């Protein structure tokens, strides 16, 4: 470690990331200039910065101490019982997934512009595309969008590129987070959003038919939806839409161990978030947005694609392909502005799927849906609670109706050390006293016992 | 030809080719109350077939270790990819971001349970504002291009709030491709202006393009040629006189930390690439983070929520009626943000300034060693990167691409090629502050050696990498985008 001059309160500046700190003189001589300041002689004097007002530099041990102190002022699934979902879930991450994605030859590389020396990351991303394509039942999946929210925005723009129609249908029941992001993505496009009403917790197909017309570009359906409910209508909508309309299906990839792939019921574009597949929650990111489509529309899709080819000795090799859709070639006519994406998170998801494999992923899917069913039945048996709040099927997350104010109830639960769910009223004002509860394989039977006790006590405290 | 480098080559099959029936690579916690799967789904929604590979845990580990050995990162060697700032990614930052409190923190937890992480985010917002000379900051955008999009939505809303409908963005021809792409996504028309003969912004062209329709002028400073914009004061004046905003693309901020601040130059909006300037790993293409900072006048338009401090409590402020809304789910790539927080804490003001000085020193050192052979078309002094030309190889049938492949076979990651578009056979070189003088010399020696090498050898490169030259034309013509599309062998 190189340090230099104690400054102020006896503190040294740490320069262990800067190997040439002490070679300055020699290098300047070889360049043929006197002082390092001469390299900046073209920066006008009045634009020179004063010393930045930042906290003093800290050593590694101090930084760890401060981190521990700050993390100590935060709580997580480690020390708090939670049943939060809404797109991010506290699933178990097999150690092997953390291990293989910590290989620094992979994570310290950039976009593989030089395929000959980047075969590792290229193959890993090609495998992600393939695994996800099989899981979704759709031909081609790009290496990632930023998250599901932005992937939906990109899907709506792509639908417009496909059919040049300007009305796009989205569900009435959608998270505010998604709706706000989508609104910005389409702002420059002239596309108008129209909401499809819900009935009994799922899309109202009769109402949908009434909204269709020649100006409709496509429809976004979530399966499962914001309430956690599988939407049986998703299986039928393709036959309701005219053939030119683009069907975009949003999924939770974890459900696809047991649920039919959206490609099988006619999706033209599939979007989702890889977070459930071995990605730490990290307070909301980084994750990666899933984006898949059919070969028919591949040239209209956004994002990076890896293709298989050969090297000049005829050996299998991989490289980025169809870059002519992308911003660094096509500039203002690109299919999207995305450049840096979430590649390493996609590789996490691939390593996760490879580890669980066919049997593991399917049996985990059955377990999660069974746990959801089990927990909903137990909550439903409590006085004052109905679970699920709407009839139908769900995976590991479901809506609960309470006979007391849901916001007050969830606050009471928190004061008893349990985050019991998400108040859906924040996203959908028309749904009152409904909250969603999510469970994962991290929970034990005792955790469920505690949730039940706390829900009961919290309700009684309000009454 | 003998090389001192040989990259690993494993004939590593794809995951599906390694699969053997009945193998499992992870343990699943027990659960007793398992239901009949057909009762768990609506009619017709049960999956019929699931094709996932079957591998044991050691096979999965060996697979990815072998793939990693066939990959080159900044931890492998010099990676002087211009405009990408491939600096060293400190390991302490990864350790902090892997803290199990963070990795199991749900984005919808109540604010009182996440005070420590909000404190880190707040401190990062403050530090970025100080480094950029700006007033307020959002951490939400996931990457540089997402930052540009955010900044342009802010520009759109700002003008709209004044009843001023401006629909054009001016961009120099040397700009990153994301600039025009982001402008179109935000609903603007792009007006491209040619660079002056010395590589700087052509002030007359700019003035000619500015009008009452101009919403903003987007530039990097230093430019993609690595040149500090000598007319920045006049540019600022001209833009503001025309009622336009000035946007700073932060891709090249590594040249200027603690030296000169975009806010002081008169920029109104800027983004930062935390995966470039602030050392977070590039991850083979991502994740990154592209925070945006603005002047006081534009602060009210930032996306919701912004982290604010009230007394000793941190809050997510959603109550911002003039906000543009949201550009990404939740609050941004927090795992990336935390790494940048750690980096700024480690270096402090003096360390950041020294970082920029040494980044510029390293680039200037390479330039001084090679420019008599690889001409640098613009004579101005360069900063953290510069653009040289391999045009002289053309007479013997060579190209910038050949130079790249010959560097690769010597174990050196090539610079960016063919960008910016205004230099023929461009080699855009950005070594960063992380390289030793010896590694810089090795890189320069290789470039000089290549220039003298036998043209007969050029197209044979690279011979020491995992594969030899890859046929990207066939890849685009005969699309194979998943393993089911591979021809049966």
């Amino acid at each position: 470690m190189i340090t230099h001059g104690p400054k102020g309160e006896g503190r040294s500046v740490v320069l262990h990331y800067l190997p040439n700190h002490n070679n300055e003189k020699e290098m300047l001589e070889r360049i043929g200039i006197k002082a390092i300041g001469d390299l900046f002689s073209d920066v006008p004097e009045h634009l020179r910065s004063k010393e930045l007002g930042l906290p003093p530099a800290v050593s590694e041990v101090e930084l760890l101490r401060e981190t521990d102190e700050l993390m100590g002022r935060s709580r997580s699934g480690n020390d708090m019982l939670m049943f939060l979902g809404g797109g991010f879930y506290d699933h178990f991450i097999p150690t092997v997934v953390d291990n293989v994605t910590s290989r620094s030859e992979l994570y310290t590389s950039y976009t593989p512009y030089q395929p000959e020396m980047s075969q590792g990351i290229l193959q890993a991303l090609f495998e992600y595309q393939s695994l996800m394509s099989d899981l979704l039942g759709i031909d081609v999946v790009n290496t990632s969008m930023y998250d599901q929210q932005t992937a939906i925005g990109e899907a709506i723009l792509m639908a417009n590129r496909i059919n040049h129609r300007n009305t796009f249908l989205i569900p009435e029941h959608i998270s505010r987070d998604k709706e706000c992001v989508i609104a910005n993505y389409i702002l420059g496009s002239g596309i108008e959003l129209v909401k499809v009403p819900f009935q009994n917790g799922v899309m109202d197909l009769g109402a949908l038919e009434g909204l269709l017309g020649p100006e409709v570009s496509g429809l976004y359906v979530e399966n499962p939806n914001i309430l956690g409910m599988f939407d049986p209508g998703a299986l039928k909508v393709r036959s309701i839409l005219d053939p030119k309309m683009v069907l975009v299906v949003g999924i939770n990839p974890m459900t696809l161990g047991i649920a039919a792939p959206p490609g099988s019921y006619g999706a033209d574009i599939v979007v989702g978030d890889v977070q459930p597949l071995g990605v730490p929650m990290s307070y909301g990111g980084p994750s990666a947005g899933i984006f898949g489509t059919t070969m028919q529309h591949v040239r209209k899709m956004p994002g990076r694609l890896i293709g298989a080819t050969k090297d000049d000795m005829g050996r299998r090799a991989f490289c980025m392909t169809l870059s002519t859709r992308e911003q660094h070639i096509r500039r203002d006519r690109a299919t999207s502005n995305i450049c840096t994406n979430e590649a390493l998170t996609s590789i996490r998801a691939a390593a996760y799927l490879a580890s669980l494999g066919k049997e593991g992923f399917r049996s985990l899917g059955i377990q999660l849906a069974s746990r959801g069913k089990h927990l909903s039945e137990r909550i439903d048996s409590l006085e004052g609670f109905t679970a699920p709040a709407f009839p139908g099927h769900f995976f590991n997350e479901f809506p609960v109706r309470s006979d007391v104010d849901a916001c007050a109830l969830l606050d009471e639960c928190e004061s008893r050390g349990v985050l019991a769910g998400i108040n859906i009223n924040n996203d959908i004002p028309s749904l009152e006293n409904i909250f969603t509860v999510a469970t994962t394989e991290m929970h034990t039977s005792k955790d469920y016992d505690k949730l039940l006790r706390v829900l009961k006590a919290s309700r009684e405290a309000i009454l | 030809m003998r090389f001192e480098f040989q990259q690993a080559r494993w004939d590593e099959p794809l995951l599906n080719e390694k699969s053997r029936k009945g193998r499992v690579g992870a343990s699943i916690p027990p659960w007793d109350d398992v239901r009949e799967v057909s009762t768990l789904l609506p009619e017709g929604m049960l999956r019929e077939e699931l094709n996932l590979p079957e591998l044991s845990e050691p096979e999965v580990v060996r697979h990815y270790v072998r793939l990693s050995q066939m990959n080159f990162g900044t931890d492998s060697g010099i990676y002087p990819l211009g405009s990408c700032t491939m600096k060293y990614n400190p390991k302490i930052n990864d350790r902090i971001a892997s803290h199990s409190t963070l990795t199991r923190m749900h984005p919808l937890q109540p604010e009182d349970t996440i005070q420590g992480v909000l404190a880190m985010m707040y401190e990062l917002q403050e530090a970025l504002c100080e480094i950029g000379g700006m007033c307020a900051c959002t951490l939400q955008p996931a990457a540089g291009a997402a930052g540009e999009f955010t900044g342009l939505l802010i520009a759109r809303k700002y003008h709209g709030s004044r009843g001023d409908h401006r629909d054009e963005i001016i961009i120099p021809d040397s700009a990153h491709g994301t600039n025009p792409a982001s402008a179109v996504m935000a609903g603007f028309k792009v007006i491209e202006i040619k660079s002056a003969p010395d590589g700087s912004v052509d002030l007359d062209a700019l003035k000619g393009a500015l009008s009452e329709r101009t919403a903003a002028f987007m530039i990097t400073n230093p430019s993609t040629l690595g040149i500090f914009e000598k007319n920045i004061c006049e540019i600022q004046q001209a833009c503001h006189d025309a009622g336009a905003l000035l946007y700073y693309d932060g891709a090249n901020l590594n040249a200027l930390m603690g030296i000169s601040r975009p806010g002081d130059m008169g920029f109104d909006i800027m983004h930062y690439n935390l995966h470039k300037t602030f050392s977070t790993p590039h991850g083979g293409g991502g994740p990154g983070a592209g925070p945006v900072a603005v002047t006081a006048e534009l602060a009210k338009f930032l996306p919701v929520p912004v982290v604010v401090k009230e007394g000793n409590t941190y809050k997510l402020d959603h109550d911002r009626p003039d906000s543009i809304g949201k550009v990404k789910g939740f609050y941004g790539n927090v795992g990336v943000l935390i790494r940048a927080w750690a980096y700024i804490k480690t270096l402090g003001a003096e360390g950041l300034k020294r970082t920029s000085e040494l980044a510029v020193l390293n680039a200037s050192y390479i330039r001084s060693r090679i420019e008599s052979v690889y001409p640098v078309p613009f004579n101005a002094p360069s900063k953290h990167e510069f653009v040289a030309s391999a045009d002289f190889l053309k007479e013997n049938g060579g190209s910038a691409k050949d130079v790249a492949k010959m560097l690769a076979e010597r174990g050196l990651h090539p610079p960016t090629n063919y960008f910016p578009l205004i230099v023929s056979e461009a080699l855009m070189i950005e070594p960063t502050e992380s390289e030793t003088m010896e590694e810089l010399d090795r890189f320069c020696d290789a470039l000089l050696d290549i220039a003298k090498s036998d043209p007969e050898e050029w197209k044979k490169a690279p011979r020491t990498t995992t594969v030899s030259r890859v046929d990207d034309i066939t890849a685009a013509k005969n699309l194979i985008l998943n393993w089911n599309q591979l021809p049966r062998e």
Side-chain angles (χ1 to χ4, degrees):
Chain A
M1 183 189 298
I2 304 163
T3 62
H4 84 135
K7 218 179 140 0
E9 315 76 51
R11 178 161 289 284
S12 300
V13 176
V14 180
L15 293 163
H16 51 305
Y17 304 154
L18 301 172
N20 292 338
H21 177 61
N22 287 333
N23 300 97
E24 176 183 311
K25 196 162 166 280
E26 185 183 354
M27 292 174 73
L28 287 172
E29 270 169 22
R30 292 180 68 176
I31 297 171
I33 58 173
K34 288 201 179 67
I36 196 138
D38 296 350
L39 294 171
F40 298 92
S41 57
D42 51 348
V43 180
E45 203 57 48
H46 72 280
L47 293 181
R48 299 295 179 91
S49 173
K50 294 192 280 289
E51 182 167 310
L52 297 173
L54 295 173
V58 294
S59 64
E60 195 162 314
V61 66
E62 290 169 295
L63 185 61
L64 286 175
R65 212 175 282 146
E66 186 172 344
T67 302
D68 281 339
E69 194 270 320
L70 287 169
M71 292 299 182
R73 287 203 270 135
S74 306
R75 304 185 72 186
S76 72
N78 288 332
D79 53 6
M80 208 175 186
L81 186 54
M82 299 186 195
F83 295 87
L84 303 180
F88 265 52
Y89 304 89
D90 186 22
H91 288 295
F92 180 68
I93 300 173
T95 310
V96 59
V97 174
D98 287 327
N99 178 278
V100 300
T101 50
S102 301
R103 293 291 302 189
S104 78
E105 301 92 327
L106 296 175
Y107 82 71
T108 72
S109 67
Y110 190 42
T111 304
Y113 290 119
Q114 298 294 337
E116 295 84 2
M117 66 197 316
S118 314
Q119 285 298 300
I121 202 108
L122 285 162
Q123 182 171 338
L125 289 169
F126 182 82
E127 288 172 342
Y128 164 79
Q129 291 177 186
S130 303
L131 286 160
M132 203 48 86
S133 159
D134 279 350
L135 197 59
L136 305 176
I138 203 150
D139 304 330
V140 46
V141 176
N142 71 19
T143 60
S144 60
M145 308 309 306
Y146 303 133
D147 58 11
Q148 180 169 0
Q149 286 81 344
T150 58
I152 301 167
E154 294 275 15
I156 296 172
L157 294 176
M158 178 170 152
N160 176 255
R161 282 195 293 276
I162 291 172
N163 58 26
H164 307 288
R165 297 178 176 187
N166 287 325
T167 300
F168 198 91
L169 307 178
I170 62 167
E172 175 195 9
H173 292 181
I174 188 168
S175 77
R176 276 197 63 71
D177 207 47
K178 285 177 183 151
E179 195 177 347
C180 290
V181 175
I182 295 169
N184 273 328
Y185 264 71
I186 61 161
L187 198 64
S189 68
I191 296 167
E192 189 198 351
L193 296 179
V194 172
K195 288 191 175 177
V196 182
F198 265 48
Q199 196 172 33
N200 266 334
V202 292
M203 200 173 267
D204 181 342
L205 293 185
L208 168 66
E209 285 190 70
L211 294 170
L212 298 177
E215 73 290 349
V216 173
S217 170
L219 167 72
Y220 174 60
V221 188
E222 291 192 331
N223 189 31
N225 63 26
I226 180 173
L227 299 167
M229 305 300 295
F230 283 115
D231 194 333
L235 301 175
K236 301 182 192 134
V237 283
R238 183 67 268 178
S239 60
I240 298 174
L241 304 181
D242 83 41
K244 281 203 171 134
M245 290 178 191
V246 175
L247 174 60
V248 182
V249 178
I251 47 87
N252 168 355
M254 191 61 107
T255 63
L256 297 179
I258 58 171
S264 73
Y265 48 89
D268 299 294
I269 301 175
V270 185
V271 296
D273 202 296
V274 302
Q275 190 280 328
L277 309 180
V279 181
M281 294 192 290
S282 297
Y283 194 48
S287 182
I290 299 167
F291 196 103
T293 192
T294 59
M295 283 308 279
Q296 185 192 351
H297 299 310
V298 65
R299 286 184 163 76
K300 299 261 181 350
M301 84 186 292
R304 207 158 272 152
L305 290 169
I306 311 302
T309 180
K310 293 201 181 316
D311 75 357
D312 62 11
M313 293 168 69
R315 300 175 294 193
R316 181 152 81 193
F318 302 93
C319 64
M320 297 199 291
T321 193
L322 290 186
S323 300
T324 47
R325 298 163 300 117
E326 292 191 65
Q327 48 75 30
H328 63 281
I329 311 276
R330 192 61 67 88
R331 300 175 76 84
D332 58 334
R333 299 186 56 225
T335 54
S336 168
N337 69 339
I338 195 166
C339 177
T340 288
N341 52 26
E342 313 286 315
L344 191 71
T345 319
S346 299
I347 293 174
R348 251 184 186 278
Y352 181 87
L353 289 170
S355 296
L356 268 79
K358 183 177 180 160
E359 284 312 312
F361 193 62
R362 183 177 156 82
S363 55
L364 181 59
I366 295 172
Q367 174 177 147
L368 288 165
S370 299
R371 280 173 176 267
K373 189 83 178 136
H374 171 93
L375 184 57
S376 78
E377 287 167 0
R378 292 190 62 186
I379 293 174
D380 192 56
S381 71
L382 286 176
E383 191 182 348
F385 293 93
T386 311
F390 301 99
H393 298 82
F394 48 88
F395 192 62
N396 65 326
E397 185 171 23
F398 53 88
V400 178
R401 189 189 307 275
S402 57
D403 64 353
V404 294
D405 180 64
C407 184
L409 180 84
L410 294 173
D411 284 349
E412 280 291 333
C413 291
E414 189 197 340
S415 71
R416 289 170 170 77
V418 176
L419 300 179
I422 302 169
N423 184 3
I424 216 73
N425 187 244
N426 298 335
D427 291 287
I428 308 166
S430 63
L431 291 183
E432 283 175 9
N433 298 332
I434 290 182
F435 57 99
T436 52
V437 173
T439 180
T440 72
E441 69 281 16
M442 299 297 270
H443 290 136
T444 62
S445 287
K446 282 187 179 147
D447 293 336
Y448 296 151
D449 296 342
K450 184 169 179 186
L451 174 65
L452 273 281
R453 279 197 310 275
V454 165
L455 282 173
K456 186 164 183 281
S458 298
R459 176 176 173 269
E460 281 162 7
I462 294 169
L463 284 172
Chain B
M1 209 62 214
R2 264 195 82 247
F3 297 101
E4 291 168 9
F5 170 74
Q6 178 61 57
Q7 192 172 27
R9 174 176 172 80
W10 296 96
D11 213 356
E12 181 62 11
L14 292 161
L15 286 166
N16 67 323
E17 294 163 343
K18 291 177 75 124
S19 176
R20 291 292 175 274
K21 197 170 165 42
R23 288 190 186 152
V24 177
S27 84
I28 292 166
W31 174 251
D32 293 334
D33 183 12
V34 176
R35 309 293 173 92
E36 165 56 38
V37 62
S38 60
T39 67
L40 296 169
L41 291 150
E43 200 187 330
M45 212 180 276
L46 182 66
R47 183 165 196 133
E48 284 166 11
E49 197 188 5
L50 177 66
N51 282 326
L52 285 178
E54 299 174 85
L55 291 89
S56 61
E57 183 169 324
E59 292 173 281
V60 171
V61 171
R62 199 168 278 171
H63 178 70
Y64 283 103
V65 167
R66 288 177 172 186
L67 292 189
S68 71
Q69 290 174 338
M70 296 191 282
N71 212 56
F72 192 94
T74 57
D75 281 0
S76 314
I78 188 170
Y79 210 123
L81 210 51
S83 267
C84 299
T85 314
M86 297 299 290
K87 63 169 70 182
Y88 173 64
N89 308 139
K91 303 308 160 195
I92 179 74
N93 302 353
D94 298 330
R95 179 167 166 185
I96 288 171
S98 309
H99 198 290
S100 71
T101 299
L102 181 68
T103 55
R104 292 191 66 192
M105 187 178 291
H106 192 281
L108 299 176
Q109 279 181 234
E111 283 169 16
D112 58 322
T113 67
I114 48 163
Q115 285 295 303
V117 169
L118 289 183
M120 289 172 162
M121 292 168 71
Y122 181 80
E123 286 178 18
L124 179 61
Q125 287 177 187
E126 294 288 293
L128 292 175
C129 283
E130 174 65 15
I131 292 163
M134 290 287 172
C135 181
C137 176
T138 174
L139 303 175
Q140 200 173 100
E148 294 167 11
F149 178 59
T150 306
L152 293 171
L153 291 175
I154 290 171
R156 188 182 158 116
K157 188 118 198 209
Y158 161 78
H159 291 301
S161 74
R162 295 154 48 98
D164 195 357
H165 298 290
R166 292 169 175 256
D167 62 351
E168 292 178 354
I169 300 288
I170 304 176
I171 296 172
D173 58 1
S174 61
H176 299 118
T178 51
N179 290 183
S182 299
V184 168
M185 270 182 74
F188 292 106
K189 226 173 86 190
V190 174
I191 309 290
E192 192 175 275
I193 56 167
K194 289 230 173 303
S195 298
D198 64 356
S200 65
V201 170
D202 183 331
L203 209 51
D204 290 332
L206 173 64
K207 284 178 179 165
L210 281 164
S211 75
E212 70 287 342
R213 295 182 64 177
T214 312
F217 178 45
M218 294 179 88
I219 48 170
T220 51
N221 188 20
S223 68
T224 54
L225 297 161
I227 299 170
F228 189 88
E229 208 49 77
K230 62 179 183 193
N231 295 323
I232 189 64
C233 296
E234 290 79 1
I235 290 168
Q236 185 265 121
Q237 195 65 48
C239 288
H240 289 150
D241 284 350
L245 297 171
L246 193 55
Y247 184 99
Y248 184 88
D249 174 340
N252 291 344
L253 188 62
N254 206 42
L256 294 180
M257 287 187 293
I259 289 161
S260 187
R261 307 193 304 171
D264 297 337
M265 297 172 206
F267 285 91
D268 302 287
I269 307 171
M270 69 179 290
H271 80 257
Y272 307 77
N273 298 78
L274 300 190
H275 47 290
K276 297 180 180 177
T277 319
F278 298 95
S279 84
T280 74
H282 280 71
V292 169
V294 295
T295 58
E297 195 182 3
L298 300 177
K300 64 180 178 180
F301 302 113
L302 286 174
V304 280
V306 172
V307 185
V308 295
K309 189 178 183 187
E310 290 173 8
N312 283 324
T313 307
Y314 297 92
K315 292 199 159 129
L316 290 169
D317 181 12
H318 287 271
D319 184 21
R320 301 172 65 86
D322 295 304
S323 165
I324 60 161
K326 299 205 71 179
V327 293
K328 184 191 180 310
F330 305 117
Y331 325 102
N333 282 342
V334 178
V336 175
L337 303 174
I338 300 293
R339 285 175 168 90
W341 170 86
Y343 181 70
I344 293 170
K345 296 284 281 187
T346 300
L347 289 171
E350 207 173 327
L352 290 177
K353 182 178 180 187
R354 191 66 180 146
T355 294
S356 286
E357 285 178 349
L358 292 170
V360 174
L361 178 66
N362 280 1
S364 303
Y365 182 79
I366 297 181
R367 177 175 170 173
S368 77
R369 281 209 56 202
I370 66 158
E371 76 177 320
S372 61
V373 177
Y374 292 85
V376 175
F378 301 103
N379 198 28
S382 49
K383 291 286 163 292
H384 68 303
E385 71 184 7
F386 65 97
V387 181
S389 173
D391 205 50
F392 67 97
L393 298 176
K394 267 189 181 159
E395 59 178 321
N396 289 316
S399 65
K401 184 171 180 176
D402 294 334
V403 174
K405 302 309 175 194
M406 285 187 272
L407 285 168
E409 73 180 350
R410 288 162 170 83
L412 303 154
H413 197 285
T416 301
N417 318 149
Y418 301 106
F419 185 83
L421 312 173
I422 55 179
V423 174
S424 167
E425 301 298 323
L427 298 169
M428 186 189 206
I429 302 173
E430 180 184 9
T432 84
E433 70 282 3
S434 309
E435 300 305 327
T436 62
M437 204 175 112
E438 304 85 85
E439 185 80 348
L440 299 177
D441 278 329
R442 213 162 74 79
F443 179 74
C444 296
D445 292 343
L447 274 177
L448 298 173
D449 180 53
I450 287 165
K452 289 185 301 195
S453 65
D454 178 358
E456 293 291 306
E457 301 285 302
W458 295 351
K459 302 292 176 197
K460 294 180 192 159
R463 286 158 286 190
T464 61
T465 45
T466 302
V467 293
S468 58
R469 215 173 274 212
V470 173
D471 182 359
D472 51 2
I473 306 215
T474 301
K477 220 185 290 170
N478 176 22
L479 289 173
I480 300 173
L481 302 172
N482 69 53
W483 55 38
N484 299 318
Q485 295 172 339
L486 279 166
R488 302 261 169 256
E489 294 191 358

